[in-house]
Amino acid sequence: MAPARLRRLNRRLVEDLREDLAGLYVESRVPTPGDACRRPGRQGFLNRLAADLARPGFAMVIAESDGLMGCAFGFPVRGDGSWWLGFDGVLPRGVGQLTVSGRAFAFGDILIRPHPQDRELARRVQERLLTDHQASLGATLVDGDDRQTLSALRSWGWRDVGELRRPLGLTTFRALVFPLAARGTATPVGPVAMRGGGAPGGP
């Protein structure tokens, strides 16, 4: 397989690739034996993509080789800490600090076509999206019952920091972060934690 090329897409190009992206979503979310989690189908993915596409600062990076191999997309996390609303317990201080400073980026999804180099490709698209936005921390929420996605993210370098439930929501999410500095000697997600119901800045 030829090395994958990374490319940043604007909104118009994302619209042009909607069906290809939906196909990538379906292929990358093949259920494993014993997997009881019911994930959104093709149309559910397209609806979520359309909603994220309308958010300020939306960005997408795709990986291409002989075809579409992967993508990651999302939007900047607002510095007011509202993205972490509903976090249960203690949020690592570094997560709050990077959120307030505008250096956190929310990943709507990361889709990687299954192949032997999928872990390396996932790392590349994740890091490219963060560096393009001068962000030091990726953040995402995953349905707590979606063990397949949680396992994939953890194998791609994401760290589970706790549980989150939106007000009036029925789904309990796992909150995960991807510290860009984790590959070096420093990490923005250290063991020091803050209290205050998950609101960055603390009491």
Side-chain angles (χ1 to χ4, degrees):
M1 183 181 64
R5 305 173 302 276
L6 302 188
R7 181 161 62 107
R8 174 88 173 264
L9 300 187
N10 59 33
R11 284 179 166 84
R12 181 183 60 80
L13 291 174
V14 173
E15 290 284 2
D16 292 344
L17 282 178
R18 286 175 75 254
E19 293 305 316
D20 291 336
L21 292 167
L24 177 64
Y25 170 79
V26 171
E27 186 170 346
S28 64
R29 292 293 191 267
V30 176
T32 56
D35 185 0
C37 180
R38 297 186 60 183
R39 298 176 190 83
R42 183 188 187 97
Q43 190 57 50
F45 166 77
L46 288 173
N47 292 344
R48 184 160 50 83
L49 175 61
D52 282 353
L53 195 59
R55 293 178 182 268
F58 173 88
M60 176 181 286
V61 169
I62 63 171
E64 302 170 297
S65 181
D66 298 330
L68 185 61
M69 299 301 298
C71 80
F73 62 86
F75 49 90
V77 174
R78 291 173 55 183
D80 61 6
S82 57
W83 199 85
W84 298 105
L85 185 65
F87 188 85
D88 183 20
V90 177
L91 187 70
R93 183 181 350 188
V95 174
Q97 291 173 338
L98 290 173
T99 299
V100 170
S101 65
R103 294 167 58 201
F105 190 87
F107 281 71
D109 217 333
I110 306 160
L111 308 175
I112 303 295
R113 194 179 303 279
H115 61 90
Q117 289 81 40
D118 58 1
R119 183 177 301 184
E120 174 64 16
L121 186 56
R123 181 192 62 78
R124 288 179 61 202
V125 296
Q126 290 166 178
E127 293 188 353
R128 172 67 182 274
L129 201 51
L130 290 177
T131 54
D132 280 358
H133 280 266
Q134 298 183 327
S136 299
L137 187 77
T140 195
L141 301 178
V142 179
D143 185 328
D145 293 331
D146 191 349
R147 295 184 179 182
Q148 181 183 10
T149 299
L150 288 170
S151 176
L153 288 172
R154 288 164 180 155
S155 75
W156 295 342
W158 288 77
R159 302 178 183 180
D160 192 323
V161 294
E163 194 171 270
L164 184 149
R165 176 176 287 180
R166 296 298 190 202
L168 306 180
L170 299 178
T171 303
T172 298
F173 296 100
R174 299 303 305 178
L176 291 91
V177 296
F178 182 79
L180 193 59
R183 302 186 71 237
T185 58
T187 173
V189 189
V192 180
M194 67 178 186
R195 301 191 180 275

